[in-house]
Amino acid sequence: MENRNGIISAGNWLVDTIKFIDVYPKIGNLVNIRSQECGLGGCSHNVLVDLAKLKSNVPLFAGGCVGRDDYGKMALDAIKENNIDGSNMIVLDDCPTSYTDVMSELGGGKTRTFFHCQGANARLGIEEIRGMESSARIFHLGYLLLLAKLDSEDPEYGVVAARALNELQAKGYKTSVDVVSEESDRFRKIVLPCLPYTDYLIVNEVEAGACVSENLRSADGNILIEKVEEAAQKLLDAGIKELCVIHFPEGGFGMKKSGESMYVPAPQVPKKDIVSAVGAGDAFCAGTLYAIHEGYSLSRILNFANACARFNLYSPTSTSGAPTLETINNYLNSTIY
């Protein structure tokens, strides 16, 4: 571990077409699309570009599958433009690059709905992960539940992703995992077997709740911090080796294997100033990974991640609002420290 440095993010690469609407309609009803933005998305792209825009000295590496098409070229160009090592990217001739149509409510609404074509992401499996080589210290894999081959059943490990994470740890990586939000009963089947081979789990409150079969919000929609804490403890008990982080619009909660835990409220952003929440979770994740890599305290990890998510809210696409390290530190030093 002493000779390892940097972060590799492997998993989802896709194009988001973000359509801004007044309100999400009931089935059969019409709604106006007021504007539209097109940009790259997916866990790996968003996390890596957010990290690259920090302009730190942390080496970055990309891994995943794209098609040999215009969307795939967009992804490869973004990797190159952001000085990210793209040697672990796989270009497929017989499969399109994944894409998602995102419906995002205007006026500060937090509701986003996703229509997704799995495409090349579904072809990322354990053989592709085994073939990825880097000098990175942290290997971030995401999103589980949206990587068909890695989500498939494994007779020994329960799920193929768990086998892959075990092999990554054997190579000397610290492993990090993120999952996608969906309405399904797959969380426990796919995520829980991965936890014994996961050093850092970074998920939102919906995903964490689904993993432990609990609703972490009250009937009127308020986040229940005591429930969040219970969920984090259950996830750590299920095998996470070092740190569980659960984020939500109200803030972030972290719990270490040692028992240290903390809730840090998010900075308040007026609804009228919120352009879009697309990519906010990935921005929080990127901030968490950077702060872990740099050895920050739990308090500073959560404050740093909250700040990354805050700046994301002022931009329409997943990464266009990503701040520099100097901007974040100036913000934190002037408002918190």
Side-chain angles (χ1 to χ4, degrees):
M1 289 299 295
E2 292 82 2
N3 296 324
R4 287 192 171 276
N5 184 37
I7 299 169
I8 177 171
S9 183
N12 297 98
W13 293 85
L14 54 91
V15 170
D16 286 326
T17 301
I18 306 166
K19 299 173 181 178
F20 295 94
I21 58 179
D22 299 315
V23 64
Y24 195 82
K26 293 182 180 180
I27 293 175
N29 288 358
L30 180 146
V31 67
N32 289 311
I33 297 171
R34 298 299 183 181
S35 62
Q36 178 173 306
E37 298 279 349
C38 183
L40 286 159
C43 179
S44 293
H45 168 270
N46 294 350
V47 166
L48 286 170
V49 172
D50 284 337
L51 287 167
K53 290 190 174 185
L54 289 175
K55 299 189 181 301
S56 72
N57 294 319
V58 175
L60 302 173
F61 307 83
C65 297
V66 295
R68 197 177 299 279
D69 49 30
D70 289 343
Y71 283 170
K73 185 177 184 300
M74 282 177 62
L76 297 176
D77 287 347
I79 290 168
K80 184 176 180 180
E81 290 166 3
N82 286 281
N83 297 313
I84 299 166
D85 185 316
S87 58
N88 291 303
M89 293 297 295
I90 300 164
V91 181
L92 304 174
D93 291 315
D94 60 344
C95 192
T97 301
S98 305
Y99 64 89
T100 302
D101 286 336
V102 183
M103 304 299 168
S104 183
E105 288 186 347
L106 286 166
K110 295 184 176 67
T111 299
R112 295 167 294 142
T113 308
F114 303 84
F115 298 86
H116 180 63
C117 171
Q118 289 193 19
N121 287 332
R123 298 277 288 274
L124 180 66
I126 192 165
E127 293 301 328
E128 288 74 18
I129 296 293
R130 283 172 178 160
M132 295 180 185
E133 298 292 340
S134 79
S135 57
R137 184 185 310 157
I138 298 174
F139 194 112
H140 182 65
L141 180 64
Y143 309 109
L144 292 185
L145 282 79
L146 202 55
L147 295 166
K149 278 192 172 182
L150 292 172
D151 293 338
S152 62
E153 186 176 349
D154 183 283
E156 181 179 355
Y157 288 81
V159 64
V160 173
R163 182 184 291 272
L165 290 164
N166 184 40
E167 293 183 6
L168 290 169
Q169 287 184 332
K171 284 186 175 183
Y173 291 107
K174 292 288 189 179
T175 56
S176 173
V177 167
D178 193 3
V179 305
V180 74
S181 295
E182 67 172 25
E183 292 185 9
S184 81
D185 58 358
R186 298 194 303 152
F187 285 85
R188 294 179 64 82
K189 180 180 178 180
I190 293 175
V191 179
L192 294 189
C194 294
L195 298 187
Y197 314 104
T198 299
D199 291 291
Y200 318 117
L201 180 70
I202 307 166
V203 292
N204 67 30
E205 85 283 12
V206 175
E207 297 151 359
C211 288
V212 299
S213 301
E214 293 280 352
N215 188 346
L216 307 187
R217 291 189 177 275
S218 65
D220 55 359
N222 293 321
I223 193 72
L224 301 171
I225 299 302
E226 66 277 10
K227 287 285 190 181
V228 172
E229 183 173 4
E230 291 173 6
Q233 185 64 67
K234 288 179 181 179
L235 292 168
L236 283 162
D237 290 344
I240 299 171
K241 293 185 180 299
E242 295 192 29
L243 176 65
C244 177
V245 175
I246 301 173
H247 58 89
F248 31 90
E250 295 89 344
F253 179 88
M255 179 180 287
K256 292 186 175 182
K257 195 75 169 182
S258 64
E260 180 186 2
S261 65
M262 182 175 298
Y263 166 56
V264 175
Q268 294 298 306
V269 178
K271 281 190 176 182
K272 64 181 180 62
D273 294 334
I274 297 175
V275 177
S276 171
V278 172
D282 290 325
F284 184 101
C285 181
T288 301
L289 289 171
Y290 175 83
I292 290 171
H293 186 276
E294 297 302 286
Y296 287 2
S297 67
L298 183 57
S299 172
R300 193 165 181 96
I301 288 172
L302 296 171
N303 277 300
F304 191 91
N306 276 340
C308 289
R310 171 192 180 272
F311 283 99
N312 170 273
L313 298 175
Y314 294 99
S315 66
T317 62
S318 297
T319 59
S320 56
T324 64
L325 182 59
E326 180 181 14
T327 297
I328 292 179
N329 285 334
N330 287 341
Y331 168 76
L332 291 175
N333 291 334
S334 65
T335 59
I336 297 173
Y337 299 109

